[in-house]
Amino acid sequence: MNSSLETLIQNGLLLDAFGVVGLGLIGLAAVRLARRNQSWGGTMMACGAIALLIARLYVILSPHFINDDVLHRIGPVGISVTYGLPPILLTLGLAGVVWGLWGHERWLKENR
Amino acid sequence: MSNGGFFLMGSIEAMRPVFLIVMGVFMLIFAWRLARNSDAWTSRLMMAGALMLAFGYALMLPLYEAGILERYAPGRMTYEGSAAAAMGWHAIKLVVMNAGWLVFGIGLAMHAKLLSPAPVANPRREARARNAHEFIA
């Protein structure tokens, strides 16, 4: 296989950076919408984007610092948190973004 | 439907693909409704991003959860299907999800006018207008 393609897929830095930058843009845009329009949809979207961003950053960074030593130190509760929290954050974040999008769209329609 | 089936559907694991499909489709719908009343490039970017994300969330992730698409891992050597297909789908997933968020984010930022300066009211002009008004009155 093409080596550059392989590097792109296996390291994934460029694409992960795209995703993180996009989520950050969504968060900023949502805050801007919430401040400018006082629409609750923007606030909801910002919360969702932040949750998605935290979970995404954790998923990207965790292979670099999670090892047996760290797992031993944080104990069983910490381990279950590292397993349970990212999917919950991803789910809630996606729901928040979509819900906020709906709220903002409805708010726009009501005020037009 | 038997009782067991109902509870299986209610459990988190089985609900997750349904949730993802619903979220992907609704994201597409709301993005389309937002894009209908936006500028050309804003709506194009938002729709492109929402289409990619909807493809990823509503189609690819449920297929992964159902086990139809095999998960790719860098060190893994044995696949039930073909390794090239697993890698290809993994590449598509990476591109679709990450570029989708990026393009959708840029579209939303343009919709929110994030990249243009804030419409701050000019206090001096306002004061002048008020003075003129008072003078006329």
Side-chain angles (χ1 to χ4, degrees), chain A residues 15-82:
Chain A
L15 290 170
D16 285 341
F18 275 8
V20 168
V21 168
L23 282 174
L25 272 176
I26 288 182
L28 285 176
V31 169
R32 184 73 181 266
L33 284 178
R35 286 193 51 149
R36 196 185 56 188
N37 298 340
Q38 269 105 35
S39 74
W40 58 269
T43 316
M44 188 67 82
M45 219 190 305
C47 290
I50 289 168
L52 272 177
L53 200 56
I54 292 171
R56 191 80 195 110
L57 277 177
Y58 175 75
V59 169
I60 293 170
L61 294 180
S62 62
H64 297 289
F65 69 89
I66 294 285
N67 50 30
D68 289 345
D69 196 25
V70 174
L71 288 181
H72 185 70
R73 222 182 305 145
I74 57 180
V77 176
I79 292 173
S80 34
V81 165
T82 57

Short mmCIF file of all heavy atoms in Angstrom, two decimals, chain A residues 15-82:
data_model
loop_
_atom_site.label_atom_id
_atom_site.label_comp_id
_atom_site.label_asym_id
_atom_site.label_seq_id
_atom_site.Cartn_x
_atom_site.Cartn_y
_atom_site.Cartn_z
N LEU A 15 -6.05 13.89 10.52
CA LEU A 15 -7.51 13.77 10.52
C LEU A 15 -8.08 14.04 11.91
O LEU A 15 -9.12 14.69 12.05
CB LEU A 15 -7.90 12.38 10.03
CG LEU A 15 -7.64 12.20 8.54
CD1 LEU A 15 -7.79 10.76 8.13
CD2 LEU A 15 -8.59 13.06 7.74
N ASP A 16 -7.38 13.56 12.95
CA ASP A 16 -7.85 13.84 14.31
C ASP A 16 -7.85 15.34 14.57
O ASP A 16 -8.77 15.87 15.20
CB ASP A 16 -6.97 13.14 15.33
CG ASP A 16 -7.26 11.65 15.38
OD1 ASP A 16 -8.35 11.27 14.92
OD2 ASP A 16 -6.41 10.89 15.85
N ALA A 17 -6.81 16.01 14.07
CA ALA A 17 -6.74 17.46 14.26
C ALA A 17 -7.91 18.13 13.55
O ALA A 17 -8.51 19.07 14.08
CB ALA A 17 -5.42 18.00 13.73
N PHE A 18 -8.26 17.64 12.36
CA PHE A 18 -9.43 18.18 11.65
C PHE A 18 -10.68 18.09 12.52
O PHE A 18 -11.42 19.05 12.67
CB PHE A 18 -9.69 17.37 10.37
CG PHE A 18 -8.89 17.82 9.19
CD1 PHE A 18 -7.90 18.76 9.32
CD2 PHE A 18 -9.14 17.28 7.94
CE1 PHE A 18 -7.16 19.17 8.24
CE2 PHE A 18 -8.41 17.70 6.85
CZ PHE A 18 -7.42 18.63 6.98
N GLY A 19 -10.87 16.90 13.09
CA GLY A 19 -12.06 16.70 13.90
C GLY A 19 -12.09 17.61 15.11
O GLY A 19 -13.11 18.22 15.42
N VAL A 20 -10.94 17.74 15.77
CA VAL A 20 -10.90 18.56 16.98
C VAL A 20 -11.12 20.03 16.63
O VAL A 20 -11.88 20.74 17.31
CB VAL A 20 -9.56 18.35 17.70
CG1 VAL A 20 -9.37 19.40 18.78
CG2 VAL A 20 -9.52 16.97 18.32
N VAL A 21 -10.49 20.47 15.53
CA VAL A 21 -10.67 21.88 15.12
C VAL A 21 -12.13 22.13 14.75
O VAL A 21 -12.71 23.17 15.12
CB VAL A 21 -9.74 22.20 13.93
CG1 VAL A 21 -10.11 23.53 13.31
CG2 VAL A 21 -8.31 22.23 14.39
N GLY A 22 -12.75 21.17 14.07
CA GLY A 22 -14.15 21.33 13.70
C GLY A 22 -15.04 21.43 14.92
O GLY A 22 -15.93 22.27 14.98
N LEU A 23 -14.79 20.56 15.91
CA LEU A 23 -15.61 20.61 17.13
C LEU A 23 -15.40 21.94 17.86
O LEU A 23 -16.36 22.52 18.39
CB LEU A 23 -15.25 19.45 18.04
CG LEU A 23 -15.85 18.11 17.62
CD1 LEU A 23 -15.32 17.01 18.48
CD2 LEU A 23 -17.36 18.18 17.76
N GLY A 24 -14.16 22.40 17.88
CA GLY A 24 -13.89 23.69 18.50
C GLY A 24 -14.64 24.81 17.80
O GLY A 24 -15.21 25.70 18.45
N LEU A 25 -14.65 24.77 16.47
CA LEU A 25 -15.37 25.79 15.70
C LEU A 25 -16.86 25.74 16.03
O LEU A 25 -17.52 26.78 16.18
CB LEU A 25 -15.16 25.56 14.21
CG LEU A 25 -13.95 26.21 13.59
CD1 LEU A 25 -13.83 25.81 12.13
CD2 LEU A 25 -14.06 27.72 13.69
N ILE A 26 -17.39 24.51 16.15
CA ILE A 26 -18.82 24.39 16.48
C ILE A 26 -19.09 25.00 17.85
O ILE A 26 -20.08 25.72 18.04
CB ILE A 26 -19.26 22.92 16.43
CG1 ILE A 26 -19.30 22.45 14.98
CG2 ILE A 26 -20.61 22.73 17.06
CD1 ILE A 26 -19.76 21.06 14.81
N GLY A 27 -18.18 24.71 18.80
CA GLY A 27 -18.37 25.28 20.13
C GLY A 27 -18.34 26.79 20.10
O GLY A 27 -19.20 27.46 20.69
N LEU A 28 -17.35 27.36 19.39
CA LEU A 28 -17.25 28.83 19.33
C LEU A 28 -18.48 29.43 18.65
O LEU A 28 -19.04 30.43 19.11
CB LEU A 28 -15.99 29.22 18.56
CG LEU A 28 -14.68 29.06 19.30
CD1 LEU A 28 -13.52 29.38 18.39
CD2 LEU A 28 -14.65 29.97 20.50
N ALA A 29 -18.88 28.79 17.53
CA ALA A 29 -20.04 29.31 16.81
C ALA A 29 -21.29 29.25 17.68
O ALA A 29 -22.12 30.15 17.67
CB ALA A 29 -20.25 28.53 15.52
N ALA A 30 -21.39 28.16 18.47
CA ALA A 30 -22.57 28.02 19.32
C ALA A 30 -22.58 29.08 20.40
O ALA A 30 -23.63 29.67 20.71
CB ALA A 30 -22.59 26.62 19.94
N VAL A 31 -21.41 29.36 20.98
CA VAL A 31 -21.35 30.42 22.00
C VAL A 31 -21.72 31.76 21.39
O VAL A 31 -22.47 32.55 21.97
CB VAL A 31 -19.94 30.45 22.62
CG1 VAL A 31 -19.76 31.69 23.47
CG2 VAL A 31 -19.71 29.21 23.46
N ARG A 32 -21.22 31.99 20.17
CA ARG A 32 -21.54 33.24 19.49
C ARG A 32 -23.04 33.38 19.24
O ARG A 32 -23.64 34.44 19.49
CB ARG A 32 -20.77 33.27 18.16
CG ARG A 32 -20.91 34.54 17.38
CD ARG A 32 -20.13 35.64 18.04
NE ARG A 32 -20.27 36.87 17.32
CZ ARG A 32 -19.43 37.29 16.39
NH1 ARG A 32 -18.39 36.56 16.08
NH2 ARG A 32 -19.61 38.43 15.80
N LEU A 33 -23.65 32.27 18.78
CA LEU A 33 -25.09 32.30 18.54
C LEU A 33 -25.84 32.56 19.83
O LEU A 33 -26.80 33.34 19.87
CB LEU A 33 -25.55 30.95 17.96
CG LEU A 33 -25.24 30.69 16.49
CD1 LEU A 33 -25.72 29.31 16.11
CD2 LEU A 33 -25.93 31.73 15.63
N ALA A 34 -25.40 31.88 20.91
CA ALA A 34 -26.10 32.03 22.18
C ALA A 34 -25.99 33.46 22.68
O ALA A 34 -26.94 34.02 23.21
CB ALA A 34 -25.51 31.07 23.21
N ARG A 35 -24.82 34.08 22.47
CA ARG A 35 -24.65 35.45 22.99
C ARG A 35 -25.37 36.47 22.14
O ARG A 35 -25.94 37.42 22.64
CB ARG A 35 -23.15 35.79 23.03
CG ARG A 35 -22.44 35.07 24.14
CD ARG A 35 -21.10 35.66 24.31
NE ARG A 35 -21.19 37.12 24.44
CZ ARG A 35 -20.37 37.84 25.15
NH1 ARG A 35 -19.40 37.25 25.79
NH2 ARG A 35 -20.49 39.14 25.22
N ARG A 36 -25.33 36.25 20.81
CA ARG A 36 -25.90 37.26 19.94
C ARG A 36 -27.42 37.18 19.93
O ARG A 36 -28.11 38.19 19.92
CB ARG A 36 -25.37 37.07 18.52
CG ARG A 36 -25.59 38.27 17.64
CD ARG A 36 -25.15 37.98 16.24
NE ARG A 36 -25.84 36.80 15.73
CZ ARG A 36 -25.55 36.22 14.58
NH1 ARG A 36 -24.58 36.69 13.85
NH2 ARG A 36 -26.21 35.18 14.16
N ASN A 37 -27.93 35.97 19.92
CA ASN A 37 -29.37 35.82 19.77
C ASN A 37 -30.09 35.51 21.06
O ASN A 37 -31.31 35.44 21.06
CB ASN A 37 -29.67 34.67 18.79
CG ASN A 37 -29.10 34.96 17.43
OD1 ASN A 37 -28.84 36.10 17.10
ND2 ASN A 37 -28.92 33.94 16.63
N GLN A 38 -29.35 35.27 22.13
CA GLN A 38 -29.97 34.78 23.36
C GLN A 38 -30.88 33.59 23.09
O GLN A 38 -31.98 33.50 23.59
CB GLN A 38 -30.78 35.88 24.05
CG GLN A 38 -29.98 36.67 25.06
CD GLN A 38 -29.61 38.01 24.53
OE1 GLN A 38 -30.40 38.59 23.82
NE2 GLN A 38 -28.45 38.51 24.85
N SER A 39 -30.42 32.66 22.23
CA SER A 39 -31.22 31.46 21.98
C SER A 39 -30.64 30.32 22.80
O SER A 39 -29.44 30.14 22.87
CB SER A 39 -31.19 31.10 20.49
OG SER A 39 -29.97 30.55 20.13
N TRP A 40 -31.54 29.57 23.46
CA TRP A 40 -31.05 28.49 24.32
C TRP A 40 -30.45 27.38 23.49
O TRP A 40 -29.67 26.58 23.98
CB TRP A 40 -32.17 27.95 25.19
CG TRP A 40 -33.34 27.43 24.42
CD1 TRP A 40 -34.44 28.13 24.06
CD2 TRP A 40 -33.51 26.12 23.91
NE1 TRP A 40 -35.28 27.32 23.35
CE2 TRP A 40 -34.73 26.09 23.24
CE3 TRP A 40 -32.73 24.95 23.95
CZ2 TRP A 40 -35.21 24.96 22.60
CZ3 TRP A 40 -33.21 23.82 23.32
CH2 TRP A 40 -34.44 23.83 22.65
N GLY A 41 -30.83 27.33 22.20
CA GLY A 41 -30.26 26.30 21.33
C GLY A 41 -28.75 26.43 21.24
O GLY A 41 -28.03 25.43 21.23
N GLY A 42 -28.26 27.68 21.20
CA GLY A 42 -26.82 27.89 21.12
C GLY A 42 -26.11 27.38 22.36
O GLY A 42 -25.06 26.75 22.27
N THR A 43 -26.71 27.63 23.52
CA THR A 43 -26.11 27.15 24.77
C THR A 43 -26.04 25.63 24.78
O THR A 43 -25.01 25.04 25.14
CB THR A 43 -26.95 27.63 25.96
OG1 THR A 43 -27.28 28.99 25.74
CG2 THR A 43 -26.18 27.49 27.24
N MET A 44 -27.15 25.01 24.37
CA MET A 44 -27.19 23.55 24.35
C MET A 44 -26.14 23.00 23.39
O MET A 44 -25.43 22.04 23.68
CB MET A 44 -28.59 23.12 23.91
CG MET A 44 -28.85 21.66 24.02
SD MET A 44 -28.86 21.15 25.71
CE MET A 44 -30.49 21.60 26.16
N MET A 45 -26.03 23.66 22.23
CA MET A 45 -25.06 23.20 21.24
C MET A 45 -23.64 23.35 21.78
O MET A 45 -22.79 22.48 21.57
CB MET A 45 -25.22 24.02 19.96
CG MET A 45 -25.06 23.22 18.70
SD MET A 45 -24.97 24.24 17.25
CE MET A 45 -26.43 25.21 17.34
N ALA A 46 -23.39 24.45 22.49
CA ALA A 46 -22.06 24.65 23.05
C ALA A 46 -21.73 23.57 24.07
O ALA A 46 -20.63 23.01 24.08
CB ALA A 46 -21.96 26.03 23.70
N CYS A 47 -22.70 23.25 24.94
CA CYS A 47 -22.47 22.18 25.93
C CYS A 47 -22.17 20.86 25.22
O CYS A 47 -21.24 20.13 25.59
CB CYS A 47 -23.69 22.02 26.83
SG CYS A 47 -23.94 23.38 27.94
N GLY A 48 -22.96 20.55 24.20
CA GLY A 48 -22.73 19.31 23.46
C GLY A 48 -21.37 19.28 22.82
O GLY A 48 -20.67 18.26 22.87
N ALA A 49 -20.98 20.42 22.21
CA ALA A 49 -19.69 20.46 21.54
C ALA A 49 -18.55 20.30 22.54
O ALA A 49 -17.55 19.63 22.27
CB ALA A 49 -19.54 21.77 20.76
N ILE A 50 -18.71 20.89 23.74
CA ILE A 50 -17.66 20.76 24.75
C ILE A 50 -17.55 19.31 25.22
O ILE A 50 -16.44 18.77 25.36
CB ILE A 50 -17.94 21.72 25.92
CG1 ILE A 50 -17.71 23.16 25.47
CG2 ILE A 50 -17.04 21.40 27.10
CD1 ILE A 50 -18.24 24.18 26.43
N ALA A 51 -18.71 18.67 25.44
CA ALA A 51 -18.68 17.26 25.86
C ALA A 51 -18.02 16.40 24.80
O ALA A 51 -17.17 15.54 25.10
CB ALA A 51 -20.11 16.78 26.14
N LEU A 52 -18.39 16.64 23.54
CA LEU A 52 -17.79 15.87 22.45
C LEU A 52 -16.28 16.11 22.39
O LEU A 52 -15.49 15.18 22.18
CB LEU A 52 -18.40 16.27 21.11
CG LEU A 52 -19.66 15.55 20.67
CD1 LEU A 52 -20.14 16.13 19.37
CD2 LEU A 52 -19.37 14.08 20.47
N LEU A 53 -15.90 17.37 22.60
CA LEU A 53 -14.48 17.72 22.51
C LEU A 53 -13.67 17.04 23.61
O LEU A 53 -12.59 16.49 23.35
CB LEU A 53 -14.36 19.24 22.62
CG LEU A 53 -13.09 19.90 22.10
CD1 LEU A 53 -12.88 19.52 20.66
CD2 LEU A 53 -13.20 21.38 22.24
N ILE A 54 -14.23 17.05 24.84
CA ILE A 54 -13.51 16.40 25.94
C ILE A 54 -13.34 14.91 25.65
O ILE A 54 -12.24 14.35 25.77
CB ILE A 54 -14.29 16.61 27.27
CG1 ILE A 54 -14.25 18.07 27.68
CG2 ILE A 54 -13.71 15.74 28.36
CD1 ILE A 54 -15.17 18.39 28.83
N ALA A 55 -14.44 14.26 25.24
CA ALA A 55 -14.36 12.82 25.00
C ALA A 55 -13.41 12.51 23.85
O ALA A 55 -12.62 11.57 23.91
CB ALA A 55 -15.75 12.27 24.70
N ARG A 56 -13.48 13.34 22.82
CA ARG A 56 -12.64 13.10 21.64
C ARG A 56 -11.16 13.26 21.99
O ARG A 56 -10.32 12.45 21.59
CB ARG A 56 -13.06 14.10 20.56
CG ARG A 56 -12.50 13.85 19.23
CD ARG A 56 -13.24 12.77 18.49
NE ARG A 56 -12.41 12.35 17.37
CZ ARG A 56 -11.81 11.18 17.30
NH1 ARG A 56 -12.00 10.27 18.20
NH2 ARG A 56 -11.03 10.89 16.28
N LEU A 57 -10.85 14.33 22.75
CA LEU A 57 -9.47 14.55 23.16
C LEU A 57 -8.98 13.39 24.02
O LEU A 57 -7.85 12.93 23.87
CB LEU A 57 -9.34 15.87 23.93
CG LEU A 57 -9.21 17.10 23.06
CD1 LEU A 57 -9.16 18.34 23.93
CD2 LEU A 57 -7.95 17.03 22.22
N TYR A 58 -9.88 12.90 24.92
CA TYR A 58 -9.46 11.78 25.75
C TYR A 58 -9.19 10.55 24.90
O TYR A 58 -8.18 9.86 25.09
CB TYR A 58 -10.55 11.46 26.79
CG TYR A 58 -10.20 10.24 27.58
CD1 TYR A 58 -9.23 10.31 28.57
CD2 TYR A 58 -10.77 9.01 27.30
CE1 TYR A 58 -8.86 9.19 29.27
CE2 TYR A 58 -10.40 7.88 27.99
CZ TYR A 58 -9.45 7.97 28.97
OH TYR A 58 -9.06 6.86 29.65
N VAL A 59 -10.07 10.29 23.93
CA VAL A 59 -9.88 9.10 23.08
C VAL A 59 -8.58 9.21 22.29
O VAL A 59 -7.86 8.23 22.12
CB VAL A 59 -11.09 8.94 22.14
CG1 VAL A 59 -10.81 7.90 21.08
CG2 VAL A 59 -12.31 8.53 22.94
N ILE A 60 -8.27 10.43 21.83
CA ILE A 60 -7.05 10.59 21.04
C ILE A 60 -5.81 10.47 21.92
O ILE A 60 -4.83 9.83 21.55
CB ILE A 60 -7.06 11.97 20.33
CG1 ILE A 60 -8.16 12.00 19.28
CG2 ILE A 60 -5.72 12.25 19.67
CD1 ILE A 60 -8.39 13.36 18.71
N LEU A 61 -5.87 11.07 23.11
CA LEU A 61 -4.66 11.17 23.93
C LEU A 61 -4.43 9.97 24.83
O LEU A 61 -3.30 9.72 25.25
CB LEU A 61 -4.72 12.44 24.80
CG LEU A 61 -4.67 13.75 24.04
CD1 LEU A 61 -4.73 14.91 25.02
CD2 LEU A 61 -3.40 13.85 23.22
N SER A 62 -5.50 9.22 25.15
CA SER A 62 -5.34 8.18 26.17
C SER A 62 -4.30 7.12 25.83
O SER A 62 -3.62 6.65 26.76
CB SER A 62 -6.69 7.55 26.47
OG SER A 62 -7.19 6.92 25.32
N PRO A 63 -4.12 6.69 24.59
CA PRO A 63 -3.08 5.68 24.35
C PRO A 63 -1.69 6.16 24.73
O PRO A 63 -0.79 5.35 24.96
CB PRO A 63 -3.16 5.42 22.85
CG PRO A 63 -4.49 5.86 22.45
CD PRO A 63 -4.84 7.00 23.35
N HIS A 64 -1.49 7.47 24.81
CA HIS A 64 -0.15 7.98 25.08
C HIS A 64 0.18 8.05 26.56
O HIS A 64 1.34 8.11 26.92
CB HIS A 64 0.01 9.38 24.47
CG HIS A 64 -0.12 9.36 22.98
ND1 HIS A 64 0.81 8.82 22.15
CD2 HIS A 64 -1.13 9.77 22.18
CE1 HIS A 64 0.41 8.91 20.90
NE2 HIS A 64 -0.77 9.49 20.88
N PHE A 65 -0.84 8.09 27.43
CA PHE A 65 -0.48 8.19 28.85
C PHE A 65 -1.14 7.14 29.73
O PHE A 65 -0.77 7.03 30.89
CB PHE A 65 -0.77 9.60 29.39
CG PHE A 65 -2.22 9.94 29.50
CD1 PHE A 65 -2.91 9.65 30.66
CD2 PHE A 65 -2.88 10.56 28.45
CE1 PHE A 65 -4.24 9.97 30.76
CE2 PHE A 65 -4.21 10.87 28.56
CZ PHE A 65 -4.90 10.57 29.71
N ILE A 66 -2.10 6.39 29.19
CA ILE A 66 -2.70 5.34 30.02
C ILE A 66 -1.85 4.07 29.91
O ILE A 66 -1.73 3.49 28.84
CB ILE A 66 -4.14 5.05 29.55
CG1 ILE A 66 -5.04 6.26 29.78
CG2 ILE A 66 -4.70 3.83 30.27
CD1 ILE A 66 -5.44 6.48 31.19
N ASN A 67 -1.24 3.67 31.02
CA ASN A 67 -0.56 2.38 31.05
C ASN A 67 -0.89 1.69 32.37
O ASN A 67 -1.70 2.19 33.15
CB ASN A 67 0.95 2.55 30.85
CG ASN A 67 1.51 3.61 31.77
OD1 ASN A 67 0.99 3.81 32.87
ND2 ASN A 67 2.55 4.31 31.33
N ASP A 68 -0.27 0.56 32.62
CA ASP A 68 -0.64 -0.22 33.80
C ASP A 68 -0.38 0.56 35.09
O ASP A 68 -1.14 0.45 36.05
CB ASP A 68 0.17 -1.53 33.83
CG ASP A 68 -0.31 -2.47 32.74
OD1 ASP A 68 -1.40 -2.21 32.21
OD2 ASP A 68 0.39 -3.44 32.42
N ASP A 69 0.69 1.33 35.07
CA ASP A 69 1.01 2.12 36.27
C ASP A 69 -0.11 3.09 36.62
O ASP A 69 -0.57 3.16 37.76
CB ASP A 69 2.33 2.88 35.98
CG ASP A 69 2.94 3.40 37.26
OD1 ASP A 69 2.65 2.80 38.32
OD2 ASP A 69 3.68 4.39 37.20
N VAL A 70 -0.54 3.83 35.59
CA VAL A 70 -1.61 4.81 35.81
C VAL A 70 -2.88 4.10 36.24
O VAL A 70 -3.57 4.53 37.18
CB VAL A 70 -1.84 5.62 34.52
CG1 VAL A 70 -3.04 6.53 34.68
CG2 VAL A 70 -0.61 6.42 34.18
N LEU A 71 -3.21 2.99 35.59
CA LEU A 71 -4.42 2.26 35.93
C LEU A 71 -4.36 1.75 37.36
O LEU A 71 -5.34 1.77 38.09
CB LEU A 71 -4.61 1.07 34.97
CG LEU A 71 -5.03 1.44 33.55
CD1 LEU A 71 -5.21 0.19 32.72
CD2 LEU A 71 -6.31 2.24 33.56
N HIS A 72 -3.17 1.31 37.79
CA HIS A 72 -3.02 0.83 39.16
C HIS A 72 -3.23 1.97 40.15
O HIS A 72 -3.82 1.78 41.22
CB HIS A 72 -1.63 0.22 39.33
CG HIS A 72 -1.43 -0.40 40.67
ND1 HIS A 72 -2.06 -1.56 41.05
CD2 HIS A 72 -0.68 -0.02 41.73
CE1 HIS A 72 -1.71 -1.86 42.28
NE2 HIS A 72 -0.86 -0.95 42.72
N ARG A 73 -2.77 3.15 39.78
CA ARG A 73 -2.85 4.27 40.71
C ARG A 73 -4.29 4.77 40.86
O ARG A 73 -4.69 5.19 41.94
CB ARG A 73 -1.94 5.40 40.23
CG ARG A 73 -1.17 6.05 41.38
CD ARG A 73 -0.31 7.19 40.90
NE ARG A 73 0.61 6.82 39.83
CZ ARG A 73 0.95 7.62 38.82
NH1 ARG A 73 0.46 8.83 38.76
NH2 ARG A 73 1.78 7.22 37.89
N ILE A 74 -5.06 4.79 39.78
CA ILE A 74 -6.40 5.36 39.89
C ILE A 74 -7.40 4.38 40.47
O ILE A 74 -8.51 4.76 40.83
CB ILE A 74 -6.91 5.90 38.55
CG1 ILE A 74 -6.92 4.81 37.49
CG2 ILE A 74 -6.12 7.08 38.09
CD1 ILE A 74 -7.40 5.29 36.15
N GLY A 75 -7.05 3.09 40.57
CA GLY A 75 -7.91 2.15 41.26
C GLY A 75 -9.10 1.71 40.42
O GLY A 75 -9.32 2.21 39.31
N PRO A 76 -9.91 0.81 40.97
CA PRO A 76 -11.03 0.24 40.19
C PRO A 76 -12.06 1.27 39.80
O PRO A 76 -12.60 1.22 38.69
CB PRO A 76 -11.61 -0.82 41.13
CG PRO A 76 -10.98 -0.62 42.45
CD PRO A 76 -9.73 0.15 42.27
N VAL A 77 -12.34 2.23 40.69
CA VAL A 77 -13.35 3.24 40.35
C VAL A 77 -12.86 4.08 39.18
O VAL A 77 -13.60 4.36 38.22
CB VAL A 77 -13.66 4.12 41.58
CG1 VAL A 77 -14.63 5.21 41.19
CG2 VAL A 77 -14.22 3.29 42.71
N GLY A 78 -11.60 4.49 39.24
CA GLY A 78 -11.03 5.27 38.15
C GLY A 78 -11.04 4.51 36.84
O GLY A 78 -11.32 5.09 35.78
N ILE A 79 -10.75 3.22 36.91
CA ILE A 79 -10.73 2.42 35.68
C ILE A 79 -12.12 2.37 35.08
O ILE A 79 -12.31 2.54 33.87
CB ILE A 79 -10.20 1.01 35.99
CG1 ILE A 79 -8.72 1.09 36.34
CG2 ILE A 79 -10.38 0.11 34.77
CD1 ILE A 79 -8.15 -0.22 36.81
N SER A 80 -13.14 2.16 35.96
CA SER A 80 -14.49 2.12 35.39
C SER A 80 -14.89 3.48 34.84
O SER A 80 -15.65 3.56 33.87
CB SER A 80 -15.51 1.60 36.40
OG SER A 80 -15.18 2.00 37.69
N VAL A 81 -14.38 4.56 35.46
CA VAL A 81 -14.68 5.89 34.91
C VAL A 81 -14.05 6.04 33.53
O VAL A 81 -14.68 6.52 32.59
CB VAL A 81 -14.17 6.99 35.87
CG1 VAL A 81 -14.14 8.33 35.16
CG2 VAL A 81 -15.05 7.06 37.10
N THR A 82 -12.79 5.59 33.37
CA THR A 82 -12.15 5.73 32.06
C THR A 82 -12.87 4.89 31.02
O THR A 82 -12.84 5.23 29.84
CB THR A 82 -10.68 5.30 32.10
OG1 THR A 82 -10.61 3.96 32.56
CG2 THR A 82 -9.84 6.19 32.98
#
